């Protein structure tokens, strides 16, 4: 069975290999990298978008689970989206893997 993340513009298949970190990386590269830095070294294309490697300085990453599952919506130009449980797990694991403290 293929699973998909639906956003305003992109459908991203999760891998059948069940590597949550790789799946999380695929999700952020397809859906977030046009504004946010999504690795430990890149710069955010949008200077107002926080690099994901620094999210842990602002929030405990695990506290993002509920917002991601219910639909995260912020006050800036980020599109609203809702993730499936496996996608939330993948995204949280990827974010934890790239954090710079």
């Amino acid at each position: 069975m293929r699973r998909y993340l639906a956003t305003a513009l992109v459908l991203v298949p999760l891998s059948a290999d069940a590597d949550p970190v790789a799946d999380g990386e695929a999700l952020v590269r397809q859906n977030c990298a046009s504004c946010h830095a999504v690795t430990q070294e890149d710069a955010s294309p949008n200077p107002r978008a926080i690099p994901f490697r620094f999210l842990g300085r602002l929030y405990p990453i695990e506290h993002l689970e509920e917002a991601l599952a219910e639909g995260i919506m912020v006050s800036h130009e980020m599109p609203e989206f809702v993730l499936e449980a496996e996608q939330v797990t993948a995204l949280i694991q990827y974010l934890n893997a790239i954090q710079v403290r």
Side-chain angles (χ1 to χ4, degrees):
M1 171 174 39
R2 295 188 78 82
R3 300 166 302 218
Y4 293 92
L5 163 66
T7 68
L9 304 172
V10 180
L11 293 177
V12 178
L14 294 180
S15 72
D17 298 334
D19 178 355
V21 174
D23 289 342
E25 181 178 9
L27 288 170
V28 299
R29 286 189 183 275
Q30 285 290 320
N31 295 286
C32 310
S34 63
C35 294
H36 293 274
V38 297
T39 71
Q40 288 182 325
E41 300 173 357
D42 62 333
S44 293
N46 180 340
R48 295 177 298 174
I50 186 170
F52 281 179
R53 66 184 169 273
F54 298 132
L55 283 174
R57 293 180 179 178
L58 300 174
Y59 314 98
I61 298 300
E62 289 73 24
H63 290 185
L64 297 173
E65 286 185 57
E66 185 176 350
L68 291 167
E70 291 181 1
I72 202 163
M73 192 166 74
V74 295
S75 60
H76 61 278
E77 63 269 9
M78 190 175 104
E80 181 179 0
F81 62 91
V82 178
L83 300 174
E84 299 296 325
E86 297 89 3
Q87 294 165 324
V88 171
T89 298
L91 182 53
I92 294 296
Q93 288 192 21
Y94 180 72
L95 292 174
N96 277 322
I98 65 165
Q99 290 309 291
V100 175
R101 310 233 191 256

